[in-house]
Amino acid sequence: MGRMIITGVDRSARSRAAADWAAREALLRGLPLHVVHVSAPDDPAADERPYRPETVADRVLAELGRRHPELTGRADTLSGTAAPVLRGLAEDAELLVLGLRGEGGRAGVAVGSTAAALAVACPGPLVLVPGALAGAEPPGRADGVTLGIDARDPVAAVVDLAFEAARLRGERLHAVHAWTFPPQATCSPFPVLEEDRATWEDQEVQMLSDALRPWRGKYPHVDVLEDVVLFTPAEALAHTARNSGLVVTGRRSGGTALALLEHARCPVAVVPSCAVPVGPRPWALRPL
């Protein structure tokens, strides 16, 4: 099977918003879209819903086709539990795209159970989209893409995805490196001296510049804003992402991603450290 973008859908408006984002991304990347609905076997509530499970994916794809006539793709209904089924499909996907919550989400819960399960275990890049339809974000965004990067140990797949997303959109990349005081400072009973803080911060700035240098060479036309902040990674991204259309973060334990998703106002791409880096891809759509 060729590379494609997969979006998992249900009957919710949040799911359709995620599918619309996935369709736009497929067009940007020159890839087909695979719309998937996972239906629990022998669902007793199926007959009580507006339309039957086997029609959900077809309806969403038809709606996307009317909105994006250039889109190519297919729709499938699969049986099982959503998280493991989608996790299996994601092994061969360019991106897996879901809503932050589905039709079964409880009021007051920011991240649904399927999204949370995949955020910590998806084998490939996962994009989780909040409720607004793509293209309906508040005006005045300064950054197209925000990248959360550990300058001490950058993960190639994470940085590649962020630079490629910024290149495709023709927008600025905001690279954010979070840092903390060294152990000797945090254990000291005395306040940190300003000159010490300035020295440590300068070291972090240089470290971030060195970490990004290979990608600046690979993507010379991407405008990059380098930012070093004295926060935890989740706090740093939550703060800087307010002016972003897409946040890209890596996943080692999944803790940072889950903390960020609780406050997400724009799509968040979670990339596992084992993901394979990708480079620029052709713009022409390939048929299925």
Side-chain angles (χ1 to χ4, degrees), residues 19-20 23 33 35 59-69 71:
D20 187 74
L33 181 68
V35 180
R59 285 172 177 262
V60 171
L61 183 60
E63 179 182 319
L64 293 174
R66 289 191 293 271
R67 192 177 297 128
H68 309 287
L71 184 69

Side-chain angles (χ1 to χ4, degrees), residues 38-259:
V38 182
S39 176
D42 303 321
D43 183 355
D47 292 333
E48 302 172 6
R49 291 168 179 165
Y51 41 89
R52 295 191 59 79
E54 59 268 21
T55 68
V56 173
D58 289 327
R59 285 172 177 262
V60 171
L61 183 60
E63 179 182 319
L64 293 174
R66 289 191 293 271
R67 192 177 297 128
H68 309 287
E70 306 89 355
L71 184 69
T72 63
R74 78 171 198 248
D76 282 312
T77 300
L78 303 177
S79 179
T81 303
V85 171
L86 292 172
R87 186 166 58 239
L89 292 175
E91 294 180 0
D92 297 319
E94 191 85 356
L95 294 174
L96 173 63
V97 182
L98 299 175
L100 264 180
R101 291 172 54 198
E103 62 182 310
R106 301 194 311 274
V109 176
V111 185
S113 58
T114 299
L118 288 167
V120 299
C122 189
L126 167 72
V127 179
L128 294 169
V129 182
L133 272 174
E137 298 90 350
R141 293 188 181 278
D143 301 307
V145 181
T146 295
L147 164 66
I149 178 174
D150 180 356
R152 290 176 174 79
D153 186 19
V155 177
V158 180
V159 186
D160 263 345
L161 192 149
F163 268 86
E164 179 69 357
R167 182 190 74 83
L168 289 170
R169 290 161 172 75
E171 295 177 334
R172 183 172 73 172
L173 176 67
H174 187 177
V176 180
H177 167 61
W179 70 287
T180 58
F181 289 135
Q184 64 267 27
T186 56
C187 296
S188 173
F190 304 105
V192 173
L193 298 176
E194 282 301 316
E195 54 265 35
D196 288 338
R197 172 177 173 152
T199 298
W200 294 329
E201 190 166 25
D202 286 345
Q203 292 171 349
E204 301 292 332
V205 169
Q206 186 60 53
M207 190 183 305
L208 177 59
S209 179
D210 292 343
L212 290 174
R213 188 172 294 114
W215 283 276
R216 282 185 175 274
K218 184 178 179 180
Y219 294 88
H221 300 298
V222 174
D223 180 26
V224 182
L225 170 64
E226 298 181 8
D227 201 359
V228 170
V229 292
L230 189 60
F231 288 117
T232 66
E235 290 171 333
L237 286 176
H239 177 74
T240 56
R242 294 172 185 170
N243 294 323
S244 182
L246 173 67
V247 175
V248 181
T249 183
R251 188 197 79 214
R252 288 190 169 94
S253 67
T256 296
L258 287 176

